[in-house]
Amino acid sequence: MVDKDVVRVVFANVISICLFASEIPTFYKAVKKSNSLEDINAGYYLAMTMNCLFLVLYGVPFFHPGNLLLLTAFGTGLAIHIAYLTIFLLYSSCNKRMYVGSVFLTELLVIGLVSGLLIGLEHNVRTRTLYVGFFCFIMCLFMLTPRSTLMLEVKDTKSAECMSLPVTLGDILSGLCWCIYAALGSDSFFAAPNGLGCLWGLYHLRLYCLYRERTPKARDDDKEQLAQAELSEGKLADMEQRMEQKKLALELKHEEIQQALKLYQTQLAQVEHDIANLGPSTGQPRDGVDMV
């Protein structure tokens, strides 16, 4: 007969892995559309990577025996998020690459330092479990921050366009399964944040149902600003065109004046030449004519 606990935890593993992989379409669209990830916040994925690192450490038998399925779930999640960070390193600007690379190396150093100190200085497995469990509890609470930011954005824009229903449902199911698993195992470090995450997911689902058909206020404001900007640009272009036309007219008039001045100077020079050729009007005989 199949153990119900195994079925429940395997189901939680599948839900968690699907939740981790739910961001793959976001990266695919960003890379395919613009070949850049500048519009995607790398901080969230770095935080998720750190969270997975501590949860993997929490599932290692040296720190918390009997958590093999927890180790496999978040080990897979860690591999997926390292793949996300690799994509950031390949398709981001130089500054963002430096940021992602330096923070990820710092996370590896921190997790290595924590695990090394606990293994070297603390020989009691239960005490190691308390320390690592406390770190996991803090990280799980910290991971609720992006959800709070998303909640504020939905309330501000009056639209659930920035929310993903599959991700929200995945949050709820994953939090519920892991909360039940941790509660049955009397693991308060893992039960409390997952239970809170499940409640947070339910609140997000409520916001999604409330605002999913409403027009985004921010988009309307953006459209109005865009229309005003286009109108201003049109007026500026019209003014530039008129100035260019006036400039051309002035250049034509200047050329006409220059041509008239040259013609006047030519005519004046011709008149002066003709006068010079006439000679004195009286007292001098003309060439070849005798005086009477």
Side-chain angles (χ1 to χ4, degrees):
M1 187 174 179
V2 180
D3 192 349
K4 293 182 179 179
D5 291 339
V6 174
V7 174
R8 182 176 61 251
V9 176
V10 169
F11 179 71
N13 273 263
V14 172
I15 293 295
S16 297
I17 292 172
C18 291
L19 182 62
F20 292 139
S22 63
E23 298 291 338
I24 292 177
T26 302
F27 283 86
Y28 177 76
K29 290 178 181 178
V31 173
K32 184 177 180 181
K33 183 178 180 181
S34 59
N35 202 32
S36 174
L37 301 177
E38 296 304 314
D39 294 334
I40 300 179
N41 183 14
Y44 170 76
Y45 299 96
L46 288 167
M48 281 295 296
T49 303
M50 190 66 177
N51 186 40
C52 289
L53 282 170
F54 273 109
L55 289 171
V56 166
L57 189 66
Y58 191 61
V60 174
F62 293 122
F63 298 97
H64 195 188
N67 267 341
L68 181 61
L69 291 175
L70 181 68
L71 178 63
T72 57
F74 289 97
T76 306
L78 176 62
I80 292 174
H81 280 87
I82 290 177
Y84 291 155
L85 297 183
T86 303
I87 296 174
F88 273 109
L89 294 176
L90 292 175
Y91 294 98
S92 296
S93 62
C94 182
N95 291 335
K96 202 166 191 176
R97 290 177 185 176
M98 293 292 294
Y99 167 70
V100 171
S102 59
V103 173
F104 180 57
L105 288 177
T106 304
E107 291 177 350
L108 293 179
L109 289 175
V110 169
I111 201 71
L113 182 64
V114 170
S115 58
L117 288 175
L118 289 177
I119 292 175
L121 300 178
E122 185 57 59
H123 301 287
N124 189 339
V125 177
R126 181 174 177 81
T127 306
R128 292 178 186 170
T129 301
L130 291 175
Y131 279 117
V132 180
F134 176 75
F135 282 122
C136 291
F137 177 75
I138 297 299
M139 286 304 302
C140 288
L141 290 180
F142 179 72
M143 288 311 302
L144 296 177
T145 304
R147 301 179 185 180
S148 302
T149 305
L150 182 64
M151 178 186 67
L152 294 175
E153 182 179 352
V154 171
K155 285 186 173 182
D156 182 58
T157 60
K158 306 298 182 183
S159 171
E161 191 177 37
C162 60
M163 296 181 66
S164 173
L165 182 60
V167 173
T168 303
L169 293 176
D171 278 339
I172 296 172
L173 292 176
S174 178
L176 181 62
C177 291
W178 286 116
C179 182
I180 294 174
Y181 167 74
L184 292 177
S186 300
D187 190 346
S188 57
F189 288 120
F190 202 54
N194 278 283
L196 187 59
C198 181
L199 295 176
W200 222 241
L202 289 172
Y203 186 71
H204 280 196
L205 183 61
R206 176 181 175 274
L207 289 178
Y208 181 85
C209 295
L210 184 62
Y211 295 115
R212 64 189 179 93
E213 293 182 353
R214 295 195 181 184
T215 303
K217 183 182 71 175
R219 179 187 292 177
D220 292 342
D221 294 340
D222 291 342
K223 285 183 177 180
E224 184 177 353
Q225 293 178 0
L226 181 61
Q228 291 178 355
E230 289 178 351
L231 182 60
S232 300
E233 289 178 0
K235 290 181 178 179
L236 181 61
D238 186 52
M239 290 177 63
E240 290 178 352
Q241 186 178 3
R242 291 181 180 178
M243 291 294 293
E244 189 68 24
Q245 290 176 353
K246 290 181 179 180
K247 182 179 178 181
L248 290 174
L250 289 174
E251 289 177 354
L252 290 174
K253 288 182 179 180
H254 180 70
E255 290 179 0
E256 290 177 356
I257 293 172
Q258 290 291 332
Q259 291 176 359
L261 182 60
K262 287 181 180 180
L263 180 60
Y264 171 76
Q265 290 175 348
T266 303
Q267 291 176 351
L268 180 61
Q270 184 66 34
V271 170
E272 290 177 350
H273 182 267
D274 292 342
I275 293 173
N277 288 335
L278 287 176
S281 58
T282 62
Q284 295 293 337
R286 297 182 182 179
D287 294 341
V289 179
D290 295 334
M291 294 182 61
V292 178

